[in-house]
Amino acid sequence: MILARVIGNVIATQKEKGLVGSKIMLVQPVGLEGEQQGSSFLALDALDAGVGDLVVVVQEGWSASTAATSVEGRAIDAAIVAVVDTIDLD
Amino acid sequence: MRLAKVIGTLVATIKDPELQGAKLLVIQPLDGQHRPSGKPMVSIDAVGAGVGELVFWCRGKESSFPFSPREVPTDCTITGIVDRVNVEYDIGSRNR
């Protein structure tokens, strides 16, 4: 999984049936210091993560699909699976 | 999923039998600021997208699931047509 910052969301009324009813958030991968790392992408959200939240995103389809929609076999390749409270590094 | 712009259509009469009837669209992946990023790709349309539209697409094995139980050989399927992208957090100004 990777760390990412939720920076917005995407509205799409016309979408694959497996995505209906799920929020599609725009996330920006970040490093441990919060610095940008790579390009933003879309991830399904089932945790009601808010814009500005630091989150954990899974980018493997099967887990993303089951995590975001509790149904496997949906056309999803990224999902928010946790909202980060703290990170402690030694 | 990633954003992309549909830039063209592709016709192939000789193709894998499972691709029969699939609409093939040429897409240009976009980065966060909607600028072209990476090479154009050939995708299968699952939602009725047209040339010029802003869409998002799914990669990997999951991209064949909209067509299940058929085993369509695709690793790039358009799964949504974007109405609006709301960017509400400027990551540049805040580092933590």
Side-chain angles (χ1 to χ4, degrees):
Chain A
M1 276 90 78
I2 61 162
L3 275 175
R5 179 78 65 186
V6 180
I7 61 173
N9 65 347
V10 167
I11 310 295
T13 41
Q14 185 83 14
K15 57 195 170 196
E16 210 273 313
K17 62 184 182 308
L19 303 174
V20 172
S22 300
K23 277 169 39 180
I24 304 170
M25 306 306 282
L26 190 62
V27 297
Q28 166 62 54
V30 293
L32 287 173
E33 303 310 318
E35 75 288 8
Q36 287 189 47
Q37 282 188 343
S39 179
S40 60
F41 60 92
L42 309 181
L44 228 57
D45 173 34
L47 300 173
D48 269 343
V51 171
D53 282 351
L54 187 63
V55 293
V56 174
V57 177
V58 64
Q59 289 184 288
E60 184 277 324
W62 199 265
S63 344
S65 176
T66 40
T69 65
S70 67
V71 170
E72 69 271 5
R74 290 280 188 248
I76 299 161
D77 61 15
I80 295 173
V81 290
V83 178
V84 178
D85 295 329
T86 57
I87 300 176
D88 299 320
L89 299 176
D90 290 344
Chain B
M1 291 73 72
R2 290 180 186 271
L3 292 172
K5 190 169 189 68
V6 180
I7 59 173
T9 56
L10 185 146
V11 175
T13 44
I14 297 173
K15 56 192 172 197
D16 183 286
E18 282 302 335
L19 286 176
Q20 292 300 342
K23 190 166 103 181
L24 297 171
L25 294 176
V26 182
I27 61 172
Q28 170 57 60
L30 304 176
D31 67 13
Q33 284 69 40
H34 296 204
R35 292 175 309 223
S37 103
K39 51 188 183 338
M41 299 172 66
V42 179
S43 67
I44 294 187
D45 173 40
V47 283
V51 175
E53 288 194 298
L54 181 63
V55 296
F56 56 82
W57 53 280
C58 174
R59 59 178 174 72
K61 170 65 179 160
E62 298 69 37
S63 59
S64 68
F65 290 156
F67 312 102
S68 66
R70 276 177 51 208
E71 285 291 335
V72 176
T74 173
D75 64 357
C76 177
T77 299
I78 295 173
T79 53
I81 301 173
V82 176
D83 298 330
R84 199 170 61 247
V85 178
N86 304 315
V87 180
E88 298 154 8
Y89 187 95
D90 175 10
I91 202 147
S93 61
R94 286 175 261 196
N95 55 17
R96 204 130 193 59

